[in-house]
Amino acid sequence: MLKKMYLNSMPLVAMGLLVSVCDLAGNAQQPAESHEATPVTTLNVQAREVILPVTVRDKKGQIVPNLKQEDFVLEQDGRPQTIKSFSHDTNLPFRLGLLVDTSRSQQNALPAERTATGKFIDQMLTQPADKGFLLHFDHQVELLQDFTASKPKLHHELDEMSSSTGGSNDSAGSSDPDDKGARGGGRRRGGGTQLYDAIYLASNELMMKQPGRKAVIVLSDGVDRGSKETLSDAVDAAEKANVSVYTVYFKGEEDRDNSGMGPGMGRGGGMGGGGYPGGGRFPGGGRMPRPGSGEQKVDGKKILEQIAHRTGGIAFEAKKKDSFDEVYAQIAEELKGQYLLTYTPDKPASKDDSDGFHKILLKAKDDKYQVVTREGYYSQD
């Protein structure tokens, strides 16, 4: 069986936002044996250019595949920008990250998640240059399979995947005192859900250098317990790595009776609209409110919606265990229906930028279309 790799054993990568889309041709792995290899599309982006993955739907929710550059209006930090290129190229390779919550609240959903995730892998990795990785998280974050184009490798690790608190992958229960396991090693053996750490590490350590179209899919109830990174840190890392995060909410067993949440809102995402409820960008830390503390219960679905919204992904809800297939089909449609837009900012980054973050607003001239892309980017300076 493949030896498991843990994220805390890999060095952190300090790279700029736009490096990840350069030199695709030089980084694309060629198949060992291929008599009729599919040509790999490359995307040549200059140092200051910004690339945006863009999805457009009509009022009926259908993907709109035939728009042109002149159909859009783009702003950065409130200033109009000129779109340099606009294309709908399905041959540009995918880099996909699959992040699965294996905490106790999600145990009953794991069999359905395995089946649906396996079908999604088969559907999305269709070119030799397409690659994916598999990571699971509970009280620790474990990389089960690093980037690979091999579907059998991903399927094998997916089939073997279980919670770190039990089963064949129980590193937390190791008798070796030096076995620190994944990030957060040495923690108690009890429950945990290091959602924020998983997104942060997947973005910062795995996706940062990767070329092509990049997306992370997170399956979770959205409630973090025990992460070292804050939610804001996790989303910032995804933005810096130019990663769109697609979230799939499934209400955990622990939350079914006392969640206090209303009916599901279904799909989220899109441009515009506010920060986290209660003010500010995002709540910090992974600490759960203690019983009787008077703190408001965390709404995991809203957290997942905010993560997807800010990174240009889409938030989904799997209301039943047998609905994961349908959700994955919608994610595949989103990814394959993306346009790619590039532009060069009219104003170079300066030391006066408060945090180096530049707000982007992209709209269709026809208001019957909903445009989904990320909220902005971090400058390299």
Side-chain angles (χ1 to χ4, degrees), residues 312-323:
I314 299 288
F316 298 88
E317 179 178 3
K319 294 186 177 181
K320 298 184 296 182
K321 285 179 284 186
D322 59 0
S323 64

Side-chain angles (χ1 to χ4, degrees), residues 100-113:
V100 182
D101 182 346
T102 52
S103 63
R104 287 179 296 194
S105 65
Q106 298 288 291
Q107 287 298 300
N108 288 341
L110 276 181
E113 289 176 352

Side-chain angles (χ1 to χ4, degrees), residues 104-144:
R104 287 179 296 194
S105 65
Q106 298 288 291
Q107 287 298 300
N108 288 341
L110 276 181
E113 289 176 352
R114 286 193 186 97
T115 301
T117 302
K119 292 178 181 178
F120 180 73
I121 289 169
D122 292 339
Q123 185 176 4
M124 296 303 299
L125 303 186
T126 59
Q127 301 182 88
D130 294 334
K131 295 182 180 181
F133 69 84
L134 176 64
L135 176 157
H136 84 117
F137 59 95
D138 37 60
H139 75 283
Q140 61 185 16
V141 179
E142 182 182 6
L143 179 62
L144 300 176

Side-chain angles (χ1 to χ4, degrees), residues 205-328:
E205 296 188 0
L206 294 169
M207 282 292 196
M208 186 70 77
K209 283 185 173 181
Q210 292 296 318
R213 293 178 286 181
K214 299 189 287 186
V216 163
I217 294 89
V218 179
L219 292 87
S220 178
D221 63 3
V223 179
D224 186 282
R225 300 175 180 86
S227 282
K228 293 181 179 179
E229 306 296 338
T230 66
L231 178 52
S232 194
D233 290 336
V235 177
D236 287 351
E239 289 175 332
K240 290 176 181 177
N242 195 20
V243 173
S244 298
V245 182
Y246 291 79
T247 61
V248 183
Y249 170 79
F250 184 77
K251 186 182 292 186
E253 293 299 325
E254 295 174 359
D255 298 329
R256 288 189 180 277
D257 296 328
N258 299 305
S259 69
M261 290 186 285
M265 291 183 288
R267 296 164 59 86
M271 293 297 297
Y276 192 83
R281 294 174 72 183
F282 288 98
R287 182 172 59 89
M288 281 289 292
R290 292 171 296 182
S293 66
E295 297 181 53
Q296 185 177 3
K297 187 173 179 65
V298 174
D299 189 333
K301 183 160 71 170
K302 285 187 177 179
I303 288 175
L304 292 179
E305 287 171 350
Q306 290 290 326
I307 292 170
H309 166 77
R310 185 167 152 190
T311 61
I314 299 288
F316 298 88
E317 179 178 3
K319 294 186 177 181
K320 298 184 296 182
K321 285 179 284 186
D322 59 0
S323 64
F324 285 107
D325 280 336
E326 180 183 350
V327 169
Y328 266 131

